[in-house]
Amino acid sequence: MGRKVTLATCSLNQWAMDFEGNIQRILQSIKEAKSRGATYRLGPELEISGYGCADHFFESDTFLHSFQVLACLLKSPVCQDILCDVGMPVMHKNVAYNCRVFFLNKKILLIRPKLALADNGNYRETRWFTAWTKLRRTEDYFLPRIIQEITGQKRVPFGDGVVSTIDTCIGSEICEELWAPNCGHIAMGLDGVEIITNSSGSYHELRKAHIRVDLIKSATAKSGGIYMLANQKGCDGDRVYYDGCALIAINGAIVAQGSQFSLKDVEVLTATLDLEDVRAYRNSLRSRCVQAASSEAYSRISTEFALSSDDDVGIPSYQPIQWCFHTPEEEISLGPACWLWDYLRRSGQGGFFLALSGGIDSSSTACIVASMCHLVCQAAKQGDFQVIQDARKIIGDSEYVPADPQELANRLFTTCYMGSENSSAETKDRAKKLAEQIGSYHIEINIDIAVKALLTIFMTVMGVMPRFRAHGGTLRENLAMQNVQARVRMVLAYLFAQLTLWARGRSGGLLVLGSANVDESLRGYLTKYDCSSADINPIGGISKTDLRTFIQYCVNKFGFTALERIYKAPPTAELEPLSEGQLAQTDEADMGMTYSELSVYGKLRKQSGCGPYSMFCKLLHIWRETCSPSQVAGKVKHFFRSYSINRHKMTVLTPSYHAESYSPDDNRFDHRQFLYNVKWSWQFRNIDEQVKRMESQQMQDKDPTQNKIIGPDRQHHHSPTGSSSSGGESDLHGGHRQGGGFGVLVSHGVEVTDNKRKEINPPASWPVSHKKTNVDQPVIMNF
């Protein structure tokens, strides 16, 4: 009696709209599954067309070509004598569905549409598809003629059904259905479905992998059964990286784990499992048996095919394993590196160009490219022909085999230190040492000539020459002097990216890499159209805090000791004149907040859905040991003013690797306006009133006879707009407001307690505008 089944799932590096490449990878996965004795093969979501086709799903061609690929699969000898489960878009009664197609020996058994569509995060499935709502029901689907000619069928079942073989029953979930509260695997399990599959298009986010693993373990522990997950892997043409992690589980235990990050285009995972283990486990769950006895039946599509063989006693079954998770530092090292490789080989370019400043951000980008070079050499050493072929195409050498990461980096990675009179010898040396250790082709240029040429044009036309603040200029002049340097660097970056390989005697161009992190983008601490403007950015979705730990990881992993000096150095843009050869400008002082604070703001704004008032209320408790209510109010208001003033920059943000759930990416992930009333008068007034109540209560607790806050600055409690002036915020036009506080913290660093005033020093992390300042001095925001 057959009882053991060999099942195959896979991770495929599919590419949206690449039907030619997609079918080859599907066929390779089926071939590998059969070679390992599998009788059932599961593939990723929408694997025929590619998951990320987006608005191409509005085109009839996409459906036509998907059926053409299906026709090729049905006819292929590779697909015979194995039950295949593939993903593709299907139009039924003029409605588009995201579907699974089960076929066996040139016959389609079932077309199963998705029941729950993903619309959160980067997902927008309801824009293109409709969820199937007729639960446990199927109806006739009329096949197109190109399929009828192969299968001899005119109609096949379409809907929420399951496939019943001679020896077991298979049911399907599609990605989001596993996450949905009313998930189908429980109902299918109660109806006797023993093998439940999930085809997914799940992308990588830092610290997310355990969620899907826990869901699957919980699902099979609660109701028993076999659960299989297939997922796409790689960059299919967009900002996300699909991170594989194909797995097979049984009765709450993982028995097979696929890789999360890999350069392999096709990864097949198989396991041989005993169906009697499922039956015994389920029968032991007495409460489950009671519920199963009254469960509603699914529509079953039967086939005279067995997944098991008659003589399988000698076949060993798999044993449980412990899932191995990557650390966040490993995820940063591997995920963006694989994404960069996919983008490079599919773009047809000859490598990467990076403006390497010697700071944390650009060094992190450089380290990710170095990690990519290590992965390529490792894959080539293991005999991955596709990787070797791609490397030869990029380098332009038909005999080339990548073996040394440093040598490979020298061929495809150009770094450039763009110094100016405001740059220090320290950052120049740090960049040079890191480039040497990575192996990149490193050049050094000075941008002063180009900057002076632009300023000369301005002076010739306008008759005045702007100056730095350190030389007596205004804040507006100072900002313009910084921005012209930053924007010159972008122009030079693209010039060198286009011509560097030509100058070295090679064909092709270079992709320009950006190096702005997610926190700076959220705050808007970047110059529009400067070196943050690039072709792609591998760290644009990663926080500064995570990048710092990643830098430490790279010291140990790759031996890049130059990073030790970079880690210890204060982050700086080096756009203002040096003071006696030393830095006079740091990022946190410029921003008026620390990077750790920015991470907190970002998570509360996006993950927790907080506006100014809600964020203030939460931070009152989070920071209660270090900040008074009025200090928290000032910090929150400063963040929201800075964020809203600079939000327009997100509309031109360089396409970045999505890694963090509080990314401000305006393209698809974080949909918000980019023109704000930056005074936030209503919201800030709510904060002010709450601070007033809290601090009034504090005063009464100290002195019951004190019913109100007394202080010379009390009359300035509200600005004309209703905003508290304790934050010392600047408006969009550079106006600067000052005024009184709320009894504990007031303007100009004055504290009022028990009718007395005393000078206090604001926290170092506060913006300059929160400290003693000339009331008439304007604050100009960075555009």
Side-chain angles (χ1 to χ4, degrees):
M1 179 181 71
R3 50 188 280 173
K4 293 179 182 177
V5 293
T6 300
L7 309 170
T9 183
C10 61
S11 294
L12 303 183
N13 195 334
Q14 302 298 74
W15 190 6
M17 304 301 291
D18 178 26
F19 294 97
E20 191 73 43
N22 290 348
I23 188 174
Q24 295 304 319
R25 287 181 283 270
I26 293 170
L27 286 170
Q28 183 180 339
S29 69
I30 296 172
K31 184 177 181 179
E32 289 187 26
K34 288 180 67 176
S35 70
R36 300 182 192 181
T39 50
Y40 169 76
R41 176 268 184 197
L42 171 70
E45 184 175 10
L46 293 170
E47 59 188 305
I48 286 180
S49 61
Y51 181 82
C53 295
D55 280 4
H56 286 294
F57 286 124
F58 288 135
E59 301 167 1
S60 61
D61 282 7
T62 305
F63 294 85
L64 169 64
H65 299 327
S66 294
F67 270 109
Q68 289 172 336
V69 170
L70 179 61
C72 293
L73 293 174
L74 287 165
K75 290 187 293 185
S76 173
V78 174
C79 301
Q80 305 309 304
D81 301 319
I82 182 171
L83 177 56
C84 294
D85 181 353
V86 299
M88 61 179 280
V90 177
M91 187 83 72
H92 176 54
K93 295 181 178 179
N94 302 325
V95 178
Y97 293 97
N98 176 347
C99 294
R100 305 302 302 171
V101 179
F102 290 81
F103 66 89
L104 171 68
N105 294 335
K106 297 185 179 181
K107 298 291 183 181
I108 293 177
L109 303 180
L110 170 68
I111 301 178
R112 200 278 194 178
K114 193 171 184 178
L115 309 184
L117 301 180
D119 268 343
N120 58 307
N122 285 289
Y123 296 112
R124 295 290 179 272
E125 290 184 7
T126 57
R127 179 177 173 89
W128 311 295
F129 300 113
T130 299
W132 181 259
T133 58
K134 302 173 185 177
L135 301 182
R136 298 180 179 84
R137 289 173 51 193
T138 61
E139 56 192 39
D140 287 341
Y141 176 79
F142 292 86
L143 293 170
R145 282 177 289 183
I146 58 172
I147 303 298
Q148 291 182 29
E149 293 170 358
I150 300 168
T151 66
Q153 302 165 290
K154 291 186 177 181
R155 296 177 296 182
V156 295
F158 184 100
D160 186 19
V162 296
V163 175
S164 181
T165 64
I166 293 174
D167 48 358
T168 188
C169 188
I170 304 171
S172 179
E173 288 188 320
I174 305 178
C175 198
E176 181 70 12
E177 295 173 34
L178 172 63
W179 274 260
N182 188 17
C183 43
H185 58 259
I186 297 296
M188 285 188 282
L190 292 175
D191 192 38
V193 177
E194 295 176 330
I195 302 171
I196 299 171
T197 67
N198 188 300
S199 58
S200 185
S202 181
Y203 58 79
H204 172 240
E205 276 185 0
L206 290 173
R207 306 172 180 89
K208 170 188 170 184
H210 73 280
I211 299 176
R212 66 169 79 103
V213 175
D214 291 345
L215 285 171
I216 291 172
K217 289 172 66 176
S218 173
T220 56
K222 182 183 295 185
S223 191
I226 297 169
Y227 202 104
M228 303 171 62
L229 174 74
N231 192 21
Q232 185 158 312
K233 181 190 293 183
C235 167
D236 79 336
D238 212 330
R239 292 161 170 79
V240 297
Y241 176 83
Y242 299 95
D243 61 341
C245 289
L247 66 83
I248 302 175
I250 181 172
N251 299 338
I254 305 296
V255 295
Q257 172 186 353
S259 65
Q260 185 174 13
F261 308 106
S262 169
L263 299 187
K264 292 184 66 174
D265 279 351
V266 177
E267 181 181 11
V268 178
L269 201 65
T270 58
T272 301
L273 300 171
D274 195 333
L275 294 173
E276 290 300 319
D277 289 341
V278 174
R279 294 157 187 166
Y281 183 88
R282 284 181 169 175
N283 191 48
S284 69
L285 303 175
R286 303 315 301 163
S287 60
R288 177 211 165 269
C289 292
V290 173
Q291 294 179 6
S294 59
S295 65
E296 186 177 348
Y298 277 79
S299 175
R300 273 175 158 74
I301 291 83
S302 299
T303 179
E304 294 299 315
F305 181 76
L307 299 187
S308 61
S309 62
D310 291 332
D311 186 16
D312 58 10
V313 176
I315 302 176
S317 58
Y318 275 61
Q319 298 300 312
I321 63 171
Q322 188 69 34
W323 189 278
C324 297
F325 292 100
H326 289 290
T327 65
E329 295 76 26
E330 290 172 334
E331 291 184 78
I332 295 172
S333 175
L334 297 171
C338 293
W339 183 74
L340 283 181
W341 178 249
D342 280 346
Y343 200 101
L344 176 61
R345 68 193 180 109
R346 288 171 170 172
S347 69
Q349 298 302 300
F352 297 114
F353 179 93
L354 173 67
L356 184 61
S357 68
I360 288 281
D361 295 334
S362 61
S363 298
S364 297
T365 297
C367 287
I368 289 171
V369 177
S371 176
M372 183 200 76
C373 292
H374 279 262
L375 290 174
V376 170
C377 291
Q378 181 182 351
K381 185 177 179 180
Q382 294 171 351
D384 191 321
F385 178 74
Q386 185 63 55
V387 170
I388 295 173
Q389 190 178 41
D390 288 334
R392 288 173 176 172
K393 180 181 176 182
I394 293 167
I395 300 301
D397 183 348
S398 61
E399 302 298 323
Y400 180 70
V401 178
D404 180 9
Q406 285 187 314
E407 186 273 339
L408 177 61
N410 187 263
R411 286 174 177 259
L412 58 75
F413 187 30
T414 298
T415 53
C416 178
Y417 181 80
M418 299 183 178
S420 73
E421 60 186 4
N422 302 317
S423 303
S424 65
E426 171 68 15
T427 55
K428 181 178 180 180
D429 186 61
R430 293 199 304 257
K432 181 179 179 180
K433 291 288 173 44
L434 179 60
E436 289 174 354
Q437 293 178 356
I438 290 174
S440 65
Y441 179 75
H442 187 65
I443 56 179
E444 297 174 347
I445 62 176
N446 189 290
I447 67 171
D448 288 336
I449 298 175
V451 172
K452 289 176 181 177
L454 292 174
L455 292 175
T456 300
I457 294 174
F458 178 83
M459 184 181 68
T460 301
V461 175
M462 303 303 296
V464 290
M465 175 67 81
R467 296 174 296 171
F468 284 106
R469 179 170 49 185
H471 299 156
T474 64
L475 290 181
R476 182 171 291 278
E477 291 175 78
N478 192 67
L479 185 59
M481 292 290 285
Q482 294 181 65
N483 286 345
V484 70
Q485 297 171 73
R487 289 172 176 138
V488 160
R489 287 187 170 116
M490 182 204 71
V491 174
L492 289 173
Y494 275 95
L495 175 65
F496 277 83
Q498 285 184 306
L499 297 178
T500 294
L501 292 184
W502 167 76
R504 297 178 67 187
R506 282 176 51 193
S507 61
L510 301 174
L511 292 167
V512 179
L513 296 180
S515 56
N517 63 65
V518 70
D519 296 325
E520 290 173 348
S521 298
L522 176 66
R523 164 63 173 76
Y525 184 64
L526 52 94
T527 300
K528 202 172 187 180
Y529 305 117
D530 68 345
C531 273
S532 63
S533 297
D535 293 315
I536 50 175
N537 181 1
I539 69 165
I542 305 172
S543 71
K544 191 79 162 190
T545 303
D546 283 336
L547 289 177
R548 290 182 62 82
T549 59
F550 169 63
I551 286 292
Q552 291 179 307
Y553 165 83
C554 290
V555 173
N556 300 321
K557 175 67 176 179
F558 303 115
F560 298 157
T561 55
L563 294 171
E564 294 174 345
R565 292 165 58 196
I566 294 171
Y567 179 83
K568 295 176 182 177
T572 176
E574 285 197 331
L575 294 172
E576 295 190 53
L578 302 175
S579 176
E580 299 180 355
Q582 301 299 315
L583 293 175
Q585 178 186 30
T586 63
D587 291 352
E588 291 186 343
D590 276 357
M591 293 190 298
M593 59 190 73
T594 66
Y595 282 107
S596 60
E597 289 173 343
L598 259 177
S599 290
V600 173
Y601 297 145
K603 290 172 183 176
L604 289 176
R605 181 195 72 102
K606 180 68 176 176
Q607 296 175 356
S608 300
C610 288
Y613 181 75
S614 296
M615 184 181 292
F616 164 75
C617 293
K618 287 184 180 293
L619 290 177
L620 279 175
H621 302 284
I622 296 173
W623 290 344
R624 63 183 179 276
E625 301 296 329
T626 57
C627 294
S628 68
S630 55
Q631 287 176 317
V632 173
K635 286 173 177 283
V636 169
K637 288 187 279 187
H638 177 58
F639 165 71
F640 271 98
R641 278 190 55 78
S642 301
Y643 156 77
S644 56
I645 287 173
N646 292 285
R647 177 67 188 182
H648 64 96
K649 298 176 184 177
M650 297 304 97
T651 62
V652 295
L653 196 67
T654 295
S656 302
Y657 179 94
H658 177 84
E660 189 56 78
S661 58
Y662 67 90
S663 168
D665 172 28
D666 183 68
N667 174 268
R668 185 162 302 176
F669 185 73
D670 190 44
H671 293 252
R672 300 168 197 254
Q673 70 211 68
F674 56 87
L675 178 62
Y676 281 86
N677 179 346
V678 300
K679 297 178 181 179
W680 298 85
S681 54
W682 189 281
Q683 295 91 330
F684 286 0
R685 184 162 58 247
N686 275 264
I687 295 175
D688 293 346
E689 291 169 353
Q690 184 61 43
V691 170
K692 178 182 177 181
R693 286 192 294 270
M694 293 179 67
E695 296 191 341
S696 176
Q697 184 61 47
Q698 289 176 1
M699 296 294 290
Q700 292 183 43
D701 292 341
K702 285 185 178 182
D703 183 0
T705 64
Q706 185 81 14
N707 293 321
K708 62 181 180 178
I709 299 175
I710 300 175
D713 291 332
R714 176 65 184 88
Q715 66 272 22
H716 300 296
H717 177 61
H718 291 295
S719 69
T721 63
S723 302
S724 162
S725 53
S726 67
E729 305 292 348
S730 59
D731 64 24
L732 184 61
H733 305 290
H736 192 65
R737 301 193 301 275
Q738 288 286 350
F742 307 112
V744 172
L745 185 69
V746 299
S747 69
H748 308 305
V750 178
E751 183 177 355
V752 180
T753 52
D754 298 331
N755 294 333
K756 298 180 180 179
R757 296 171 48 132
K758 63 179 180 180
E759 297 290 327
I760 63 170
N761 293 318
S765 63
W766 275 39
V768 175
S769 59
H770 287 200
K771 303 176 184 179
K772 293 184 179 181
T773 306
N774 183 340
V775 176
D776 297 324
Q777 187 181 36
V779 175
I780 311 298
M781 301 308 293
N782 184 2
F783 282 90

